[in-house]
Amino acid sequence: MSRLGNLGARLYRGEVGYDFVGKRMLWYGVSILITITAIVGYGVRGLHMGIEFEGGAVLTTPKTSASVEHTTDVAEEISGQIAIVQQLGNGGMRVQIAGVDTDTSTKVQNELAKELKVDPKKVDSQLVGPSWGEQIANKAWLGLGIFMILVVIYLAVAFEWRMAVAALVALIHDITITVGVYALVGFEVTPGTVIGLLTILGYSLYDTVVVFDSLRESTRGVTKQSRYTYSEIANRSINGTLVRSINTTAVALMPVAGLLFIGGGMLGGGMLNDIALSLFVGLAAGAYSSIFIATPLVADLKEREPQMKALARRVRTKRLKAEAQEGHQDEDDAPEAADSSDGAHDDSSDDGPEPTLAKSGSTSAPGVVGQRGGGNRPQGNRGRGSGRSGGRGGKGGKASGRRR
């Protein structure tokens, strides 16, 4: 078995693990800081909306020897608007100019063909009206709202309302971070961006539901035991699915990273950047929120219930008793060691209490995690046996004295 597979098995069995839930305030603080940064970026820089939302013209030229900078200067000078130029793989140019009408688009098409020394008839021109872009934006927001409502209803029915609330907070967290990154980077927002957002919400929800399902199975009848609190069981559920979440996210991120950094950056496929960036940021944020936000938030909400508070008190009391019993057992071991070293100097008055002390010291600590009560029985038997043998030794000493 590989090291990662061995680590996954040990995490699943609870042999090792990281206290995600116990350090949840740290992760809450990190998430709040990232979210504030994203909101500030959106407020300061805003989103660079594509012509699909604002309206404008898209001109695609055939292969030309002109540079991107020269094409941009020509398009902006002719139209009087900001132009976005991307070089295509075949050597042509894709020019986007927002806020132009049909007459301006035709003028830009003819003048641009003359400057780039290409046939005007081979320059493809598409005009997008602002009303169409507004309809696309409204439908995108409507689809996002319907998705959120259905997610909350499903999780509330399949699991419980606390998990539905935690999943909703995680989804909003992922959307906010992704939108903030778009604002800070300055990438254009297109319908592909909306598709990417809806896709990453599905990935994020998938990771969250897997952890929630493990948590639901582990917490059945949780109030009938007194070994673990709800937060401890939730933490074990996260660790049990941690390697699976890492593997799933890594496998999903690799092709998206290739699409973003190689396809969009090195090969010049800039039109792929809109969907690639949303997928890349959203997948990473979704994996983070399912581990560090959703499940710890569920544990926070559950620990406020009276039943879970009572369970936490029982667990704490039981562990304190176990620690006290271990302390008594350690104190009892010291006289036994002294008795064995003194040998013949012990008299019958010192041997009498040993069986009682050994018997009380052999009681197991039921509140210690992973400890089983049956494991200490042989020790108790050995303690009683040594006590009886010591007693016989004392009687033997007395008998030998009477013979003398």
Side-chain angles (χ1 to χ4, degrees), residues 51-52 54-60 95-109 124-133:
I51 62 171
E52 292 86 356
E54 294 186 346
V58 180
L59 305 174
T60 305
V95 183
Q96 301 181 54
I97 307 174
V100 297
D101 53 13
T102 305
D103 296 336
T104 306
S105 175
T106 304
K107 179 182 177 181
V108 172
Q109 178 181 357
D124 181 53
S125 177
Q126 296 179 355
L127 189 64
V128 180
S131 59
W132 186 83

Side-chain angles (χ1 to χ4, degrees), residues 65-115:
S65 59
S67 64
V68 174
E69 292 78 8
H70 177 66
T71 306
T72 303
D73 294 338
V74 171
E76 290 181 349
E77 182 179 356
I78 297 171
S79 63
Q81 303 288 339
I82 297 177
I84 299 176
V85 180
Q86 297 171 338
Q87 187 173 16
L88 303 179
N90 60 357
M93 298 292 178
R94 184 174 185 266
V95 183
Q96 301 181 54
I97 307 174
V100 297
D101 53 13
T102 305
D103 296 336
T104 306
S105 175
T106 304
K107 179 182 177 181
V108 172
Q109 178 181 357
N110 295 329
E111 294 293 333
L112 189 63
K114 184 186 300 184
E115 291 289 337

Side-chain angles (χ1 to χ4, degrees), residues 392-404:
R392 295 191 194 99
K395 293 178 181 180
K398 293 178 181 180
S400 61
R402 284 193 294 270
R403 289 193 190 98
R404 292 192 189 95

Side-chain angles (χ1 to χ4, degrees), residues 356-389:
T356 305
L357 293 174
K359 185 175 181 180
S360 63
S362 65
T363 305
S364 62
V368 179
V369 176
Q371 186 173 357
R372 302 185 184 274
N376 288 332
R377 290 179 180 175
Q379 297 177 3
N381 293 336
R382 287 196 296 268
R384 288 192 293 270
S386 62
R388 287 194 295 268
S389 62

